[in-house]
Amino acid sequence: MTIAQKQESKRSIASSNGLLGDIERNRGNWDAAETLYQQALELMTELGDRSGMANSWGVLGDIERNRGNWDAAQTLYRQSLTLRTELGDRSGMAESYSGLGKNECDRGNLEAVEQFSKQALVMAQELGITHLVAVGGNLKSCALPNTSGRGESRIFARGLM
């Protein structure tokens, strides 16, 4: 980060903020991660880096989903998906569909889980993105919040393919 600031390279600073944001996100420090990704997003916007903007919105969606802010997460995932679609970034689109599927899983919306998961899985398989193929498979069994009062979770276990 220090080298990037000395070089006054906005792209390098944005990249460093993103990397530091990843560290904080992996630690579960949502506020710090959000701050760093917002800073990266601002710089990407200034630079006109639409791919970087789409990526930042996707990660910010992950952060909001992990906080339980599902409406905010959906908005961010959709922003990311829209831009990735405009860019023709099918790999990024698969990531966005996967995020939307996970978000709907957290909400307990099984029909939407199936819809988004299928889209992510088909694209991931076409592109050979193995980590998303695994995620798509994992969404086949989506643990839903306990609404019964009996201490168990419901499991969504439909075949997606």
Side-chain angles (χ1 to χ4, degrees):
M1 182 70 150
T2 305
I3 294 169
Q5 287 172 329
K6 286 181 182 176
Q7 292 176 342
E8 297 183 2
S9 168
K10 288 182 181 183
R11 189 168 313 282
S12 295
I13 294 169
S15 178
S16 295
N17 283 343
L19 292 170
L20 292 170
D22 285 342
I23 292 169
E24 294 302 332
R25 182 173 54 134
N26 291 335
R27 291 179 176 167
N29 296 332
W30 308 126
D31 292 341
E34 179 187 26
T35 298
L36 289 160
Y37 268 99
Q38 286 290 356
Q39 291 169 353
L41 176 60
E42 288 173 24
L43 291 169
M44 295 294 183
T45 302
E46 284 179 33
L47 293 166
D49 182 344
R50 294 166 40 108
S51 179
M53 291 164 57
N55 183 62
S56 294
W57 280 325
V59 174
L60 289 165
D62 291 341
I63 291 167
E64 292 302 332
R65 182 179 59 81
N66 281 299
R67 288 175 167 162
N69 297 332
W70 300 318
D71 290 339
Q74 181 179 22
T75 299
L76 291 159
Y77 286 136
R78 288 201 178 275
Q79 283 178 285
S80 179
L81 177 61
T82 298
L83 193 48
R84 287 170 165 169
T85 301
E86 289 173 13
L87 295 170
D89 177 7
R90 292 183 51 79
S91 173
M93 290 165 62
E95 292 274 357
S96 293
Y97 283 125
S98 178
L100 285 162
K102 290 182 223 173
N103 196 51
E104 292 303 325
C105 179
D106 290 348
R107 286 183 193 225
N109 185 349
L110 301 183
E111 290 75 25
V113 170
E114 187 168 16
Q115 172 196 349
F116 291 129
S117 297
K118 276 184 180 180
Q119 289 172 297
L121 189 59
V122 167
M123 284 185 166
Q125 287 174 328
E126 287 172 1
L127 298 168
I129 306 171
T130 56
H131 77 277
L132 277 184
V133 172
V135 168
N138 289 342
L139 287 174
K140 289 181 186 177
S141 49
C142 172
L144 299 177
N146 175 8
T147 57
S148 69
R150 294 184 302 210
E152 75 252 5
S153 296
R154 296 175 295 144
I155 301 293
F156 166 64
R158 286 188 188 161
L160 293 178
M161 295 304 288

